[in-house]
Amino acid sequence: MQEKINIVNKKANFKYFLKRKYVAGLVLTGLQIKTIKAKKIVIENSYCSFINNELFVFNIVFGNLISEKKSSSKIKLLLNRFELKKIQSESKEVGLTLIPTKIFINDKGIAKLEVSIAKGKKLYDKRNTIKERENKINLKRKYKY
């Protein structure tokens, strides 16, 4: 059995308030899917945008394509028309954006991308997140001893 491939955008939870999540298919080449299976992919600085009522993801960096200038290529996301209209109407609100949060391979061996509608955090929100995380760590340390 294959090992689970689950590439997460770790900075997304820190930089954004995640509102709603959608799972979309990806249109990939053979080299790109090999890179995903080798876990040599970076989605930290990527974002999603609509072009002609189709959803694309930009700035996904594939490990073996860094030497080539392919990191700014766009990848089409596969969703049904109802979901696309819903996402497009929700993302038109002021302050909301679409960001990829996770790439994974499902049970059938198909690469999927989890896209979230997100609102950016302010600096004081980020500080509060750090403070809460440190408090949880300190509590665990106290209970441990």
Side-chain angles (χ1 to χ4, degrees), residues 4-18:
K4 287 281 187 177
I5 294 167
N6 196 8
I7 301 161
V8 180
N9 186 352
K10 294 177 184 176
K11 291 186 180 180
N13 242 351
F14 181 71
K15 289 183 177 180
Y16 301 98
F17 293 113
L18 303 178

Side-chain angles (χ1 to χ4, degrees), residues 59-114:
N59 290 346
I60 290 183
V61 179
F62 295 92
N64 56 358
L65 298 177
I66 292 175
S67 60
E68 302 173 20
K69 297 295 180 179
K70 296 275 185 178
S71 62
S72 62
S73 64
K74 58 184 178 183
I75 297 171
K76 185 177 177 180
L77 298 179
L78 303 172
L79 291 160
N80 64 32
R81 193 176 302 144
F82 175 74
E83 286 179 325
L84 283 172
K85 286 181 182 178
K86 189 174 180 182
I87 292 171
Q88 194 169 18
S89 65
E90 286 179 355
S91 65
K92 283 184 180 179
E93 289 183 33
V94 177
L96 294 181
T97 186
L98 285 168
I99 56 165
T101 53
K102 180 169 50 169
I103 290 182
F104 62 96
I105 295 183
N106 67 2
D107 297 334
K108 296 179 182 178
I110 300 170
K112 300 285 185 173
L113 178 75
E114 187 177 273

